[in-house]
Amino acid sequence: MVQNMDRPGILDVENPALTGDPALAAVVSGLHRLRAEDRAAWCPSARSARVLALGQIAEAVNAELVRAVAAWDGAGDYAADGSISSSSWLAHRIPMTRAASARLVAAARLTQRCDRLSTALADGVTTVSHVEQTARAIRRREDIFEAHGDELLDAAETVTPEEFRECAAKWRSLADDLVASVDDPFDSSRDELTLSPTSGGLAIRGWFHTAAGVEILNLIDSFHHPEPVRGERAPRTLRERRAAALLAILFGERAYGAKNIDVTIDERTMRGDWPDDLVASRSNVDGYGPVPPELIRSWLTNAALRRVVTSGSEIVDFGTAVRFATPAQKRMLKHRDGGCVVPDCPRPGHWTDAHHTTSHAAGGRTNLDELALVCRTHHRMAHQGWRLFRDVDGNWQFEPPLPPGRGPPNTW
């Protein structure tokens, strides 16, 4: 199981989380016995029964996790060690993605607001999936849920999670219809556009007010009309034609022409060699993530790219003569640190400041090895006494101010 390497695993008998907690200790003891089983000689029905039982137990444990997170998040306990959000705290300490931690927090907060849903989850009437789907369906529609949520909760208590997907979609459509009937069609306050880099592409999801929606739909569909069947080649689908139309609208004839973007690619990958270290290898577009190396190579022939080709570490030094990091240094810091270096902070590079690990007034130098990216929130906290430093293993740590008279003087 992947986990934070500086903390003991839950199956470690020396884990301090188990000390004085007989309920968790009993669960872990049972897991140890399960892991020691030899199931090679089990019959198909026995293996099926075990899978079914473990699935039911996992659901019950996940429900308890939602309930625990609800109380923990509601009390703001995540802020005790400097975290700026509960979802980032969870993603750093539990083996889950940030998207999964965000879903968990959203589900937990919904149970805090809705007693009926909280009770149904605790009693096993609904599942965590029901709660997560409900949280997604009512996002930005909380007022409508207050007045018309019973129908959605009735469905959650009577159908499977898979069947509930359609119920949640129907409820959301009805809610949108109700919003449209009372909202100003030109009100853009709820407009949003989400761009999510995924494996192999970019997912685009948005919501626009009625007037803009009509114009956007009409503009896109006016670019490409249905195609006739020619030979064995199947005509493009509506989705494919709309995607092509959007590219044409945005870029015209230069859809795949010159770019003005930052890329990072390591020397080995640039040569076309398979990397021997996936953690250290780079073939990234800034703000997007990994892309096929051949794409970057093809851009180099006709692109205005700001390239950072890494081979080991490169330091740009300015000593104490320069107070603020230069644009070049900030670009290199963004490629080196990625984003805020404070553990569990999800803020990306373009939301950060270049921070002196030793204050400039105390002799700190404006060199890359004495700079680190921190988000604006953690930057303020550092100037208020929080300490940012590397431990003996080279990992960043962020700790509250030392009590007066203890430890080294604060130089922030």
Side-chain angles (χ1 to χ4, degrees):
M1 178 176 67
V2 178
Q3 60 192 14
N4 195 323
M5 300 305 294
D6 61 354
R7 293 177 175 84
I10 189 61
L11 296 186
D12 187 341
V13 294
E14 298 181 357
N15 190 325
L18 304 180
T19 304
D21 196 327
L24 282 182
V27 172
V28 171
S29 176
L31 288 173
H32 276 292
R33 291 196 296 272
L34 286 174
R35 295 181 69 180
E37 288 180 339
D38 181 3
R39 304 167 190 155
W42 284 23
C43 64
S45 60
R47 287 193 292 268
S48 297
R50 174 53 58 83
V51 169
L52 179 61
L54 286 176
Q56 294 171 337
I57 292 173
E59 167 58 32
V61 171
N62 283 333
E64 286 304 309
L65 176 60
V66 170
R67 297 176 65 222
V69 168
W72 166 82
D73 174 71
D77 295 337
Y78 57 86
D81 56 2
S83 294
I84 58 177
S85 72
S86 52
S87 59
S88 60
W89 191 99
L90 290 167
H92 181 66
R93 290 164 173 79
I94 299 179
M96 62 171 54
T97 64
R98 295 198 184 279
S101 66
R103 290 195 298 271
L104 172 58
V105 171
R109 289 176 177 174
L110 178 57
T111 62
Q112 284 285 82
R113 299 194 306 268
C114 181
D115 292 338
R116 176 180 171 182
L117 193 59
S118 176
T119 300
L121 180 65
D123 294 342
V125 177
T126 60
T127 68
V128 173
S129 178
H130 285 107
V131 178
E132 290 181 343
Q133 291 186 63
T134 301
R136 287 197 298 271
I138 70 171
R139 182 174 177 267
R140 302 180 70 94
R141 298 158 181 81
E142 288 81 2
D143 292 343
I144 298 176
F145 180 70
E146 291 290 334
H148 300 281
D150 286 341
E151 296 82 3
L152 189 60
L153 298 180
D154 289 343
E157 295 173 3
T158 55
V159 300
T160 66
E162 182 63 30
E163 294 169 330
F164 186 65
R165 291 179 60 189
E166 183 176 357
C167 297
K170 289 179 180 178
W171 187 93
R172 189 182 182 103
S173 297
L174 292 170
D176 287 346
D177 188 63
L178 182 60
V179 169
S181 68
V182 298
D183 280 359
D184 179 358
F186 295 95
D187 179 13
S188 62
S189 62
R190 297 175 59 236
D191 289 358
E192 62 180 14
L193 183 66
T194 302
L195 305 177
S196 304
T198 63
S199 178
L202 175 72
I204 301 177
R205 178 180 178 274
W207 192 97
F208 295 92
H209 59 282
T210 304
V214 171
E215 294 286 349
I216 293 171
L217 182 62
N218 181 68
L219 179 60
I220 289 178
D221 284 352
S222 67
F223 262 70
H224 291 279
H225 302 287
E227 301 171 334
V229 177
R230 296 173 180 172
E232 296 182 355
R233 184 179 67 84
R236 291 181 299 175
T237 65
L238 176 61
R239 292 182 177 181
E240 292 170 337
R241 296 197 308 273
R242 284 177 170 172
L246 181 59
L247 285 177
I249 293 169
L250 292 176
F251 303 110
E253 296 300 322
R254 67 180 186 89
Y256 300 101
K259 307 294 185 291
N260 185 23
I261 56 178
D262 285 353
V263 301
T264 305
I265 186 167
D266 66 272
E267 191 175 30
R268 184 181 180 91
T269 304
M270 186 69 179
R271 290 198 308 264
D273 298 335
W274 188 264
D276 52 8
D277 183 355
L278 288 177
V279 175
S281 68
R282 294 288 186 274
S283 180
N284 292 17
V285 171
D286 185 34
Y288 183 96
V291 299
E294 183 57 33
L295 180 59
I296 294 179
R297 298 189 197 102
S298 69
W299 283 343
L300 296 180
T301 61
N302 63 350
L305 295 177
R306 295 186 290 269
R307 291 188 296 146
V308 177
V309 181
T310 60
S311 179
S313 61
E314 183 177 358
I315 303 297
V316 176
D317 294 336
F318 286 96
T320 58
V322 177
R323 171 68 178 86
F324 300 104
T326 66
Q329 284 181 311
K330 289 181 180 178
R331 284 200 298 270
M332 296 187 72
L333 284 169
K334 186 160 59 174
H335 289 298
R336 186 193 71 186
D337 296 342
C340 182
V341 300
V342 174
D344 81 22
C345 182
R347 296 293 188 259
H350 58 277
W351 286 4
T352 57
D353 301 324
H355 176 66
H356 287 81
T357 53
T358 300
S359 73
H360 189 262
R365 299 175 298 173
T366 309
N367 299 342
L368 288 182
D369 57 349
E370 295 190 28
L371 295 172
L373 289 183
V374 292
C375 69
R376 191 60 53 84
T377 299
H378 284 126
H379 204 174
R380 286 197 301 267
M381 294 173 67
H383 284 284
Q384 293 168 357
W386 284 69
R387 300 185 301 123
L388 178 68
F389 63 94
R390 290 185 184 272
D391 60 21
V392 294
D393 297 321
N395 299 315
W396 288 107
Q397 302 295 332
F398 195 59
E399 293 184 350
L402 292 171
R406 293 186 54 187
N410 193 344
T411 61
W412 299 104

